[in-house]
Amino acid sequence: MTGYLIDSLTTTDALAEAFSDASVLDAMVAFEVALTRASGSVGMIPARAAKVIEEALAPEVLANRPIDAREIAEGGRTSATPAIAMVNALKDRVRTIDRDSAGYVHWTATSQDVTDTALVLLLRRAVGIIAKDQDRIRESLKNLSDAHAGTLMLGRTLLQPAAPMTFGLKAAGWYRAVTRSWHRLIDACEHGLVLQYGGATGTRAAASGRGAAVAVAMASELGLRVAVPWHTDRDGFGSIATASGLYTAALAKIARDISLLMQAEVSEVAESGGGSSSMPHKRNPAGCTVALAAATRVPGLVAAFLSGMTHEHERSAGGGQAEWSTLAALVQATGAAAAAMARVLEGLTVDVRRMRDNLDATGGTIYADRAVTLLTGKIGADTAHTIVAKVLQHSRESGRRFSEVLLSQSEVAAALSPEELAGLVRPESAVGDAEALRVQLLSERD
Amino acid sequence: MTGYLIDSLTTTDALAEAFSDASVLDAMVAFEVALTRASGSVGMIPARAAKVIEEALAPEVLANRPIDAREIAEGGRTSATPAIAMVNALKDRVRTIDRDSAGYVHWTATSQDVTDTALVLLLRRAVGIIAKDQDRIRESLKNLSDAHAGTLMLGRTLLQPAAPMTFGLKAAGWYRAVTRSWHRLIDACEHGLVLQYGGATGTRAAASGRGAAVAVAMASELGLRVAVPWHTDRDGFGSIATASGLYTAALAKIARDISLLMQAEVSEVAESGGGSSSMPHKRNPAGCTVALAAATRVPGLVAAFLSGMTHEHERSAGGGQAEWSTLAALVQATGAAAAAMARVLEGLTVDVRRMRDNLDATGGTIYADRAVTLLTGKIGADTAHTIVAKVLQHSRESGRRFSEVLLSQSEVAAALSPEELAGLVRPESAVGDAEALRVQLLSERD
Amino acid sequence: MTGYLIDSLTTTDALAEAFSDASVLDAMVAFEVALTRASGSVGMIPARAAKVIEEALAPEVLANRPIDAREIAEGGRTSATPAIAMVNALKDRVRTIDRDSAGYVHWTATSQDVTDTALVLLLRRAVGIIAKDQDRIRESLKNLSDAHAGTLMLGRTLLQPAAPMTFGLKAAGWYRAVTRSWHRLIDACEHGLVLQYGGATGTRAAASGRGAAVAVAMASELGLRVAVPWHTDRDGFGSIATASGLYTAALAKIARDISLLMQAEVSEVAESGGGSSSMPHKRNPAGCTVALAAATRVPGLVAAFLSGMTHEHERSAGGGQAEWSTLAALVQATGAAAAAMARVLEGLTVDVRRMRDNLDATGGTIYADRAVTLLTGKIGADTAHTIVAKVLQHSRESGRRFSEVLLSQSEVAAALSPEELAGLVRPESAVGDAEALRVQLLSERD
Amino acid sequence: MTGYLIDSLTTTDALAEAFSDASVLDAMVAFEVALTRASGSVGMIPARAAKVIEEALAPEVLANRPIDAREIAEGGRTSATPAIAMVNALKDRVRTIDRDSAGYVHWTATSQDVTDTALVLLLRRAVGIIAKDQDRIRESLKNLSDAHAGTLMLGRTLLQPAAPMTFGLKAAGWYRAVTRSWHRLIDACEHGLVLQYGGATGTRAAASGRGAAVAVAMASELGLRVAVPWHTDRDGFGSIATASGLYTAALAKIARDISLLMQAEVSEVAESGGGSSSMPHKRNPAGCTVALAAATRVPGLVAAFLSGMTHEHERSAGGGQAEWSTLAALVQATGAAAAAMARVLEGLTVDVRRMRDNLDATGGTIYADRAVTLLTGKIGADTAHTIVAKVLQHSRESGRRFSEVLLSQSEVAAALSPEELAGLVRPESAVGDAEALRVQLLSERD
């Protein structure tokens, strides 16, 4: 894709930049330069060659005369990897300086060594970008939860009023899922973002016994952990893909809730911004929409990655060659969701009054199960159920509040004290362990 | 994505261009200009405004001072649609010429009218590009099938030798699936690539009764069929997505077969090209690999589209906003597969000798079921089965050819004439209706 | 799966039955009996054998001594197809009657001939079951649309109030998408549900020239269209899978809308039923939830099917062997959605009063863009925009109705007649071509 | 699904049993009984009620008069959860013994408490079943790797000969990926398979302050960890789903390799078994095929799970209700792959001779890059490249072995000693660090 627009809602500027041609070329060159340095340092290639290559591929040199990304891309399609055209382009650069040194570019490495390590470097940078938004999200959620520890609201199941809870508990649940999922992604990166260096079939044969030393030196250059060649073991990337999927889903759950709470008829929270091209009055859940769009896109990309993991022998013919585009799209969508939700949560306004009004508007029917529970101890479960069912029906038909009708029942008046009845329909008394659970959710590390 | 590289193996230059910022902007402007012309022509907006807008947005004018795609993209993320920032940018252009005319840009339309119609225009162009490769594929497959109508080869099931067939029949099977799938895609485009014009909630209310006339005029301008507004009915795009999935799978089946037939140990066909960065001797199935990579990527994108189709009310909050990126990625991957297979099939070399050698190398065991069939008529099924099983075992253990061992059985010699036995293990006699079926496959329309 | 429960929400009793062991065995036996009859009728096998086999596999005979499905399943895992164990079981049955006839069971066919044709028969039955629910859905939607042609309601975009429309138009949009998608599924079945009969490598070699005649006779027996062997061309099944995906999505869009309209705070429609285990007062969108669950499940199953289509050579080693379970799961989920929505739509109650109340509760802000349009003609676009923006802000801050504040503006009073202003905020005047489009949607066949 | 057949290739008998109606009912009853005991033990319900319920729902009692699964399933579709019909059925049982005790069945719990905990119990059992196959797989892989530490074979990239390696290294790579992925799954189970108990909106309000104590007691009864209610935080299940996906992919990679190595033209390994219904000579990769079929199915199921994770508020309307069927299908497919590969690997035969023959059959071209490397040090990179390219071409055209042609070049003879040349084309000298890496792979825990 050569642009910002077609993918505009499923990436961010920073992440688009992180996977731009310039970034990809940088990452590939970084691998080749690290390989050259490492090879020189262990005496595997002539010191002069190492020096010439490093100079020829220095950032400022390449900045002056950039490599033609389009040519590399076209070459990539002919050989099913961009590495060959890239290596050839680099050799051409070196050859203009020193003919013999050119032969030492990419020395002992195979195409997948550079494409995998480059992707590792790109993902490391991308996840670093997302981490900043995750910090904002975590902070905002914690603050929202603390600020609304006592804010009463309707809990809703299957989109229907269920029982009271606090907004603080709701925000703490969001916090927990998103934080736990983020840690899973970070763990996956720590295990999966490691050096790839194995040569043709992963034996490092071309390095004639110096492969391990070269690997250590390269990894150190690139700030990566060294690893046994993993050309066809894709579970490292795979666990980053799946962890991204879980993290995006946790963000999208928040977005779903907020977009529902923002409905005009509910109006319990609002994100800032969100206009329309034809309707000046609109305040759309624009950020939530971006996060939900990402979550629509991501599961299929996870599936695409997983179904490509069945690599043939020592290098796949098909399964692996879509990984660059799939992981890049996946991580960008994840980051788009994180950026959007960071903005949404930092700017979220909460209408405490409206939350209470919506609770009250249920007419007390949400306390029906509390009534059953309370009455059961006094008059037995079956009678309790029968009375409450009758009261609910009467309340529905007459439009009178459930609590009023309930109190008017002689069996109830006989069984419950006025204090018990009042407490029954008071939301403050009906949120159970909300606060204790909230605190527990915020303190868990998992 | 701002580049060619990260997606290089899952697109082509032409398709990347078709979804580039320039193309997307062109398509959006085309919608707005068509709307303006149509609105002017039916008298819905002042003639002067129509003229001013058309001039201000003329290709040559915009070419001189291009719209900043990155700004539109960033704006898109704030409002969950690139349309608002785009319309504002266009209004700004018009306003510098005539203040009042600017108000008539996008008049009566809603964001999704322009984003949907723009996507329709982009897809139409993209499918046109793929069509050229499909022509080459169809032609090549027909030629391969005709040229090898009589070329004997092993049919293989579960990757094991099964029974003889012809390469002509195999190619005709490829032809049929790919042609039929292509027609499905074209049909989907004919039904799905239609004008979107409905205004805020699809009633065309803002057009005050002139909506139908405007729609007809716009559709004519853009060369599209007119349609009832379909803001949240995504089955049109959906059937293009799914048809692309089926077509890509048909291409990938060919790629799978060719990559397997190219294995050094099989060597029955070869595609041209396909080098390696570290191994000068390699001839890789590079084109097939690109097609298989596309097929790895596409099903997940189809799923992503389908799972976004559950749009809320008159415009989705999430499900639809990833459609641009998902459909663009999907169609580009489809086109990458088509371009790769067009190249592969045009350059495919077939080793008729090796096909025959591989047939012969089975030692005749592939005729075991033929032997059972033939013997059953003479000596009954059970005896036939028992003899053939014994012969197979003996042949395996001794390394002698199945046919030899078979002939050496007295019951067989008694039951079959020498001619029958010879015919039994002659591949030419063992391909059944291959030719008739081949001809039928090539002549079928759907 | 050996039960009803674990999949209870993603199938129906009738569909679970349609894919039960009994149904699968019936379908496989039906293939073998049809093959035997056809083979006998063209003289390919002895008449006596045909007669013996048919008698031994007659429904009443098998009913008395059923085949052990669990044994076939276990055998299936050993050979990667249930066909071999099944054929052996059938041969055993025949052998007890006549030793030689047993050899003619499955004569000339290959495993995939029976597993594919059996799946075809199962799918035909399953789609027939769904068709009845689709009839109910279509009828209900048409009735709802006609009954509410003039029922005004809020159109909502991104879950926010947008502009008025009619419930009749909304229902007509549902009708169109669901009807069009259903026709696509029926078309796919007509093309894809055809006889499979090709023998080992699709050449019908074992039939020694009588294959075409056998195919015609078998197809006639089974009520299927004859077809060239399509062992590795899976686009027929594939298009049924994808069409199911599109149809389920169309149903789920209705379910999404209804579940949102049923929210206590919205309360515009209600499905009947939907209790809760702990909350006696709940009226859940239970049917919509079942449909939405199906739509959550289906896209992944479509992707699974598509990604298995890359069959190797003449029979896949992996891609095809999950098709039975994937297509069965997919079609059952589709049918669960259809059954649920048939029930929901037949029992749907519409609260016309509440729809109007929710419209009014917007305080007229939804007419802001109408105001801009109307004023533009009188005082120019820029001024119109500025005034309306000011009015909106004032209305928000003061809590006064938008229309009141608008009228209180001197520029507006000067520009618009009282009639114009009244019409501006009257929803009846603001639904544009809703009725014409509604009628068009209901009459389209596509 | 009511049977073994339709899903036969994507489950095992043991796993089908683990998700059968009996197992599901058992798991749900286990939850209710544990809840009752816990509630009794903390004094939340009358001791008598706890005793009556426990007796009424005792395994032997239910065994005598089983609950009708089909009725529960049908009820489930009406209320979008099987819990309500189930609880009612249990209450009916208790009521026949003691009317008042019946009211205490399911006391304080919500539907999702029982459906989630039941699924946890089912998954725990299922993963325990798979663990046994994983033990066999790990053991077999370790043994294969150790036994073939020195077995030379072709490494293959893009399905083409690349460079020599050992079968021991290949098996160690399989070992590593599958072991690491298994640990990931076990970790996910440890974190995700925890008690669900939260009541209507996750506050445990109905338990009136005794919720935490009840949770602890229940968890202890069921052998589960206690957890804060996680009704709409699905990442626990989600990480089991994704880890299953990664583990299945690791198994399928082995299956892919083995199925390719089993091709008649390659014949380097063989699994035992694998017949055909029409071809008596066939030895199919039947076990690998089953594993590959599972891997075809699983990614889509992972995507289905992920895309359902966007639960609305305190209980989803759609996203969660397909989880039972999706996770059950996913885990069964995973287990089918594990069972198949356990069998394959335990019975795998390795043809060491054929591995060597296939190496030799390359005519030495696979040493071309080694030649370049060796010659570069002597005659410079460019000359080395030119010579080797010439030799490769000559070798291809003449059909002579690469090594022979190479030696015949005067520049080469001058540059290399006979010993160097001999070593160059000796596979033993060309496997680099294969052994050291193999040992490392087997010893890593990760």
Side-chain angles (χ1 to χ4, degrees), chain A residues 1-5 7-8 10-11 13 20-21 70 77-78 106 111 277 286 293 297 300 312 318 325-326 332, chain B residues 1-5 7-8 10-11 13 20-21 70 77-78 106 111 256 277 286 293 297 300 312 318 325-326 332:
Chain A
M1 206 79 46
T2 55
Y4 290 95
L5 276 174
D7 288 333
S8 57
T10 53
T11 186
D13 273 6
S20 66
D21 281 349
R70 190 161 173 164
R77 284 188 284 275
T78 322
H106 194 64
S111 296
S277 77
R297 181 160 167 74
E312 290 90 358
S325 55
T326 294
Q332 285 178 90
Chain B
M1 207 79 47
T2 54
Y4 290 97
L5 276 174
D7 288 333
S8 57
T10 52
T11 187
D13 274 6
S20 66
D21 281 349
R70 190 161 174 164
R77 284 188 283 277
T78 322
H106 194 62
S111 296
R256 177 76 81 202
S277 77
R297 181 161 168 73
E312 290 91 358
S325 55
T326 294
Q332 284 178 90

Side-chain angles (χ1 to χ4, degrees), chain C residues 176-201:
Chain C
R176 174 177 64 170
V178 93
T179 305
R180 191 159 59 191
S181 300
W182 176 255
H183 288 144
R184 226 179 254 121
L185 176 54
I186 290 303
D187 285 352
C189 288
E190 271 165 24
H191 286 89
L193 297 182
V194 297
L195 180 73
Q196 178 70 285
Y197 171 60
T201 56

Side-chain angles (χ1 to χ4, degrees), chain B residues 283-326:
Chain B
R283 285 197 56 192
N284 286 324
C288 292
T289 295
V290 167
L292 287 162
T296 300
R297 181 161 168 73
V298 160
L301 292 168
V302 171
F305 191 91
L306 290 175
S307 68
M309 284 177 69
T310 318
H311 285 210
E312 290 91 358
H313 296 314
E314 281 59 65
R315 188 147 330 136
S316 77
Q321 282 79 5
E323 287 179 1
W324 268 26
S325 55
T326 294

